[in-house]
Amino acid sequence: MDLPAAVPSRVPARGGSRRDFYEFRPYNVGRWVVWGAFALLLLVAPLVFTTSLAHTMLSQMGIAIIVCLSYNMLLGQGGMLSFGHAVYSGMGAFLAIHTLNLVSKGAWAVPVSLIPLVGGAASALFAVAFGYVTTKKAATPFAMITLGIGELVWASALMFPEFFGGEGGISGNRVTGPKPLGITFGPQVQLYYLIAVYTFVCTAAMFAFTRTPLGRIINAVRDNPERVEFIGYDTQKVRYIVFILSAFFAGISGGLAALNFEIVTSEVVSAPRSGAYLLFTFLGGATFFFGPIIGGVLMVLAFVLLSEFTKAWLLYLGLVFLFMVMYAPGGIASLIMMNLRVASFGRLKEVWVSYLALAVTALVALVGAGAMIEMVYHLKLNSALGPKLHFLGIPLDAHGVNSWFGAGFVLLTGLGLFEASRRQFLRQWGDIQEFIEKEIKRRETL
Amino acid sequence: MTGTTPALELKDVRKSFGRTEIIRGCNLQVAAGERVAVIGPNGAGKSTLFNLVSGRFAPTSGQVLLHGQRIDGKKPFEINRLGLSRSFQITNIFPKLSVFENLRCGVLWSLGYKYTFLRFLADLHDANERAEQLMERIRLHKKRDVLAGNLTYAEQRALEVGITIAGGASVILLDEPTAGMSREETRRFIDLIKEVTVGKTLLTVEHDMGVVFGLADKIAVVVYGEIIAFDTPERVRANQKVQEAYLGSVVAAQQEGGH
Amino acid sequence: QKGETVRIAFMDPLSGPFANVGQNQLKSWQFAAEKLSGRNPAGVKFEVVGFDNKGSPQESLNTLKAAIDQGFRYITQGNGSGAGLALLDAVSKYNERNPGKEVVYLNYAAVDPAMTNEKCDYWHFRLDADTSMKMEALTSFMKDQPSVKKVYVIGQNYSHGQQVAKYFKDAIKRKRPDVQIVGEDLHPIGQVKDFAPYVAKIKQSGADSVLTGNWGQDLTLLVKAMNDAGLKIPMYTYYAGVTGTPTALAGGGDSEVYVVAYGHANHTGELGQMGAEFHKKFNDDYYTYATYNGINLLGAAMARAKSTNPVAVARAMEGLTVKSFAGDVTMRAADHQLQQSMFITKWQKAKKGEYSVENTGYTFVPIKQMDPYVSSTPTSCQMKRPAG
Amino acid sequence: MLQVANLHAFYGKSHVLHGVEFDVRAGEIVALLGRNGSGRSTTAKAIMGMVESTGSVHWKGQEIQGRKPYEIAHLGLGYVPENRDIFPKLTVHQNLMLGQKSAKQKGRWGFDDMYGMFPRLKERQHTEAGVLSGGEQQMLTLCRTLMGDPDLIIIDEPTEGLAPKIVELVGEYLKKLKSRGVSVLLIEQKLTIAMAISDRALVMGHGSIVFHGTPDTLWADAYIRKEWLEV
Amino acid sequence: MEFFTISLLNGISYGLLLFMLSSGLTLIFSMMGVLNFAHASFYMLGAYFAYTVAQLVGFFPALVIAPLLVALIGALFEKYALRRVHKFGHVPELLITFGLSFIILEMVQLVWGTSSVDYRVPDVLDGPLFTIYGTQFPMYRAFMMLVALLMLVAIWLLLTRTRIGLVIQAALTHPETVEALGHNVPRVFMLVFGGGCALAALAGVIGGNAFVTEPGMAATVGSVIFVVVVVGGMGSLAGAFVASLLIGVIQTFAVGVDASLMGAFQSLGMAVTPESPGYTLWKLKISQIAPILPYVFLVLILIFRPKGLLGTREG
Ligand SMILES: Nc1ncnc2c1ncn2[C@@H]1O[C@H](COP(=O)(O)OP(=O)(O)OP(=O)(O)O)[C@@H](O)[C@H]1O
Ligand SMILES: Nc1ncnc2c1ncn2[C@@H]1O[C@H](COP(=O)(O)OP(=O)(O)OP(=O)(O)O)[C@@H](O)[C@H]1O
Ligand SMILES: CC(C)C[C@H](N)C(=O)O
Ligand SMILES: [Mg+2]
Ligand SMILES: [Mg+2]
């Protein structure tokens, strides 16, 4: 079995049309703009969203971005499907919180702002040990070893309370040590900015990594490990080094999480956590560098916000995954890039109307479906509290024929219209793609 | 034997898979700068021989020497670092990297960049220049940023050879480089191979006699895991045993004359 | 104060593998709030809103933030000491960093003794009895059982299971030095699919009773495996009553299971009525009686403080005594641990008029009630009270 | 027997065949020649229902265009793909087994005929096909399709990578097939062999047929050879 | 001797149980190369369907009906979702089954509630089969063992007597070529996936009442079944069988071993006290890690014999 995708020997004959080449490659000016915008976004986000929940969420997004990017060093860039990435972010978190507590006790004098680096270094050390055995293998054996190690570490986490703190985990207090410029990291905003700095630097560092010799060779190892051996590289060593680097960044994110929550429990090394990294990295888009950034943001939104909105959040999450994998296997990033490509050929404006139509009709259908799902959940979970519920501010009666009929009607109309606009859109999209293909051919012959 | 060490030497190399012995004691000395065509019936063991030399398999017994240094049993990457590079019978490239990146990957190790992640590729001028040059030489510069997987078959074959020679190895093994190409393309491609392997030791497997006689200084004939002849093209063609085992009289005559 | 509505944020798993327990407990809180609201001396109404913490300590911290943003000043949690300890710590830090916006944490079921000992905190109040208290009660019962001579201890290898084993050994040595512990097994939590090997080991040890702190699947599978092997010896447990477990137990046939708890399935009086009503309304069991005590305690404290401000209410709750379904209960000021009566109940077929737990035809009958002092344990808590 | 009319084929959006027309009669060997990329393989795939296509393909009086590949195969068309699509993890023998459409099928040929034709395969019958030499794989693909007992066999570059002697052999076997009443559509690169054995020759260029006639007329037509075959 | 016999019996029956749980996964994983993370969810669905069907028409009809229903769902899922994703590679395949497992879990909770359901062993199979050294051996356990063996035979026949296995393996690399040879590849894929799901469901019908039928049941068997398949060797039914038995027996006996590293040190004359570094690790008894031994096993086998016990290929 070859992961992540079968390597076609000749032209990829399966899919039919050729996938074209687009790379996230900002030109010098473009690069400054993109990174500047990213920095600006990090800077102003907490000024726009000001509630304390928003601040912790923003902090967690930064953390998630780093860890998803680090995961993608394995998955997207190295073709290494890991089921145990949480081991590394989690170990970083534990080592970081222990360090924090040593600092609090006065045993160690590390500034709080540097503790995430301790986490990173610790994780890298773990990766030196564990990675040595895992990266001996690639593809499915690799995936399965990481699964095994992940389960082992998770199970041990509860068995060794001395280190992992048992069920309650290890807690610490980030307000400790020297306080330069009066920054205590007590208020969430201060911590947010620390996380933002780390997020920016780590993102930049990981992006830079993709432009280095090792970063390129790991792509080659992903595509065709056998051939790499014949151009002078030891694939095992390539995987091993990248694995350690990835763990380093994962550890930094773990360290930041330790500071953010001020408590680290065994769940940080758990299998579900590893699974979440995989799912959301993929959802964001593993084939593009910036995909996992989107993935990280979505991860926090899904876990923190979606679950507050609706009891059916796991159902929605499952459905989103199902449909994303089926219709956009490159993740959200690939959707964006596809449109950027269309835009770069100057034809994006034509599809605006279609997008609008798609969005509106999809929304209508979703509202209908959502209302029905919510009514079902309501009947199941809260029926004793009366049949009335509110969905997006619309009062519904889960026992009433009207509500069901209405929701069904909305759903069907939405679906019908959506299908119509989808057909229209597909035709348009096909034309544009054809145009682009031709244009590319034409430019090639120039 | 003259005083200079051969570029590549096989001493009684044997290889068995399970119980079947595929290579049954091969001896060969290729002088530096020589172009050798390896021919033989299907399943004779030509590709296997290449696999043994390039480190894909370890020989069951015998020795392989590269410039006088033992390389049998070494890993492919170790052998590659010692200056031996090979291409594959079935196209073996990096389908999701662009043409340029494919070639650049090929040159990195030989320029000493190893596993570094502390320098930007963009700043490695020597590597970039080499890759660009190569791309021109294998005539793929117009496809610089096309994903290798999207190239046509002939282009992929060219890239395959490009990657093989990228590292500047002194000994090059090509396994049926022209397989699947039309006669016209083959001819162009052979010229290309000649051009890019000037001054190198070349071993190539071929079934196309036109190519073999056009390209090789010497021909090695492998039959049933043994090298039954190793000589100049003329003498090999005249060899009775070779005709029986491999050429088949009619075709030999026809192919020789071309079409 | 009168007519005011106090909102309580409930944070426990409402989705995922423990959702069944969380859903039941949320309903219990909402039900208790509805029934007891306005009837308290303060005349305050209570409203309980659920937040899904998915059983995760980290997510609990998010729900805490969300609740605080929405203006909640009282939170309650119970399912899992991991989340509990995280909340205790987070509430403490939040209150310290945000004076004037204090939040009170009512813990209705997280039973790690640490929460009222070395990690105790002023803003945390526990309505359940902790592991050590339950063990006091349980061993007080066991010491009077002449049949108990050789005990096998089995548990989940995490803090709760480890604590149960430790407290048992301490207590039984004090109370019945002649009792032998013939074996002790700690297995990874939730990983055992087949308990037959453990049962074989228990049998081989010659044990006459089994003590376990297991819950959920780890408990039901153990009971089933003992039944299957025909090993009919009494089991002393903590968590046989949690949602889902009775159903699973009933499927395993008759077995002698004792449970230690601060309540039982067959209360009469107001609580009994509430249970019946709850069952009618939700077709589910009302067993989290801490909700009853919790609402009453808050009401009384608010009356005493003449305010619904958490700072005042917290102060008022210290040492407060209220009437409960089984005598009086007191919130001990030293460690904020509710002192209450304990029951030993036995799992058996329900006779006529007895409450059929989860409609299984089985019930938990009380066979012994113990006054609060029996289970009272000393505390190492050094409570830091806010100044003023 | 096989009639192809106005056949168009597409890979996604790219239009590769532009109205291909030809026919193959019973017991005939027809060579389909052309440069790389002229669309010969695509023609074969379009007949077999393996690419998106429009137009008409008549086989034994039935329209088969738009059918599924396995249905078409069951109607007696055999296809030997280029690229040696052997199944690498299966043994040689298992590869041949898959050539049969069902385990009970009785055809003109059995395992013994195949092994008789290429003794080399018999020697290697229990080896994983993935490790076979290039030439052996080529022989295997041919035999695998023959096991399905087709009435018409479409062969895409069967002699690629074969030693000259084996090439001759393949040519002889194709003639033998013909003598047993099997028609052959031979897609070839090597003119020599194609010309030697075929009854008629077609030349393809840019997705349509630009020449058809006997091998002799093709030899004679220097313009076609220069323009479309570049020999 | 007594303990040994009983443990061996327990070990073998647990091993067979593991095999029962993982046989469908073996089928799908080894033949189609799909890491089906929803396998355990199909197992759960089987249990719930059986619970409902058994209430209506009894246990033994449910034994047939529930797997068929689940097979249908599995086949539909293959046809409308998995198939589309197949060409994108293995990670998307895996993720779509991930997504499916969420959906099944939620659906189960919606239909049957979040709590466990009262799904009991039928009376005819309840009770002990025989008593050995005073320990009863339950009849139902014997029934489970029997079914596991039947599953083994059925799959073995399927693989050796039909060419489905060959078709699938061939189609993994060259689906189009296989079709051109006259095999209806999509249908075969659908049948195999449906069949694998049916096996999972059958395990659920039988496991559901032997254990507990609750929404968490999928998660509890989730990863251990992968261990069985991988340790046995991907692509090897016999391997999965051997691995199941081996894991079952080793794990069962490990429960009985109370030795620890501390003991080993002490017998070497080294004193280990609670103050020594790593005390918790040293005092950990083998019996305490028995349930996670399969993972240790998994890691070791992949390092030293990546093909698995009886496997023929890596990955
Ligand atoms: N790993 C292996 N295991 C078993 N047999 C093998 C293995 N590799 C090669 N062989 C066998 O060794 C023989 C020689 O194969 P090889 O590929 O070297 O032939 P070749 O001379 O290159 O032929 P061709 O010209 O057809 O490519 C073949 O019969 C092949 O089946
Ligand atoms: N899978 C594919 N996707 C897109 N275009 C393709 C695909 N396969 C072939 N083509 C294009 O279709 C055209 C015809 O290809 P085809 O393979 O039929 O040519 P051919 O005559 O068989 O040549 P060859 O000698 O290379 O086998 C070529 O231009 C080729 O680039
Ligand atoms: C689910 C509950 C029974 C968990 C229990 N309260 C504990 O602390 O572990
Ligand atoms: Mg070869
Ligand atoms: Mg072709």
Side-chain angles (χ1 to χ4, degrees), chain E residues 99-309:
Chain E
L100 179 69
S101 68
F102 286 176
I103 296 172
I104 293 182
L105 178 62
E106 287 295 300
M107 287 301 171
V108 161
Q109 293 187 345
L110 274 185
V111 178
W112 288 282
T114 50
S115 208
S116 54
V117 294
D118 189 7
Y119 174 35
R120 295 187 193 183
V121 171
D123 289 338
V124 276
L125 293 173
D126 210 2
L129 183 67
F130 56 82
T131 303
I132 176 169
Y133 301 117
T135 298
Q136 294 169 358
F137 191 77
M139 204 182 333
Y140 200 66
R141 224 173 152 102
F143 177 68
M144 285 202 296
M145 293 167 75
L146 183 73
V147 173
L149 288 173
L150 286 179
M151 280 178 168
L152 175 72
V153 173
I155 305 177
W156 184 75
L157 285 179
L158 180 79
L159 290 181
T160 53
R161 289 301 153 88
T162 70
R163 298 188 303 168
I164 287 185
L166 293 185
V167 172
I168 293 256
Q169 279 201 36
L172 285 182
T173 44
H174 304 290
E176 294 176 341
T177 309
V178 182
E179 278 202 53
L181 289 172
H183 303 287
N184 188 343
V185 172
R187 199 183 64 193
V188 172
F189 268 82
M190 198 165 89
L191 284 179
V192 168
F193 195 83
C197 294
L199 289 176
L202 182 58
V205 177
I206 295 169
N209 46 10
F211 307 117
V212 185
T213 302
E214 56 170 0
M217 68 190 288
T220 52
V221 301
S223 45
V224 80
I225 53 182
F226 279 98
V227 178
V228 171
V229 176
V230 174
V231 168
M234 285 166 241
S236 168
L237 177 70
F241 187 70
V242 173
S244 308
L245 287 182
L246 212 60
I247 291 177
V249 171
I250 290 180
Q251 193 172 324
T252 304
F253 277 95
V255 169
V257 181
D258 280 335
S260 66
L261 283 172
M262 180 164 76
F265 288 144
Q266 277 163 349
S267 62
L268 289 175
M270 283 187 271
V272 181
T273 61
E275 282 72 47
S276 337
Y279 176 70
T280 29
L281 184 63
W282 310 134
K283 78 161 191 220
L284 204 64
K285 295 185 285 191
I286 297 202
S287 59
Q288 287 177 356
I289 56 162
I292 53 170
L293 273 184
Y295 301 110
V296 179
F297 224 64
L298 170 80
V299 172
L300 292 180
I301 211 111
L302 282 171
I303 295 171
F304 295 109
R305 197 182 151 77
K307 289 174 177 173
L309 290 175

Side-chain angles (χ1 to χ4, degrees), chain D residues 211-228:
Chain D
F211 170 90
H212 69 265
T214 61
D216 295 336
T217 47
L218 179 56
W219 267 131
D221 194 334
Y223 169 76
I224 289 285
R225 276 168 49 211
K226 190 150 183 48
E227 186 69 21
W228 298 111

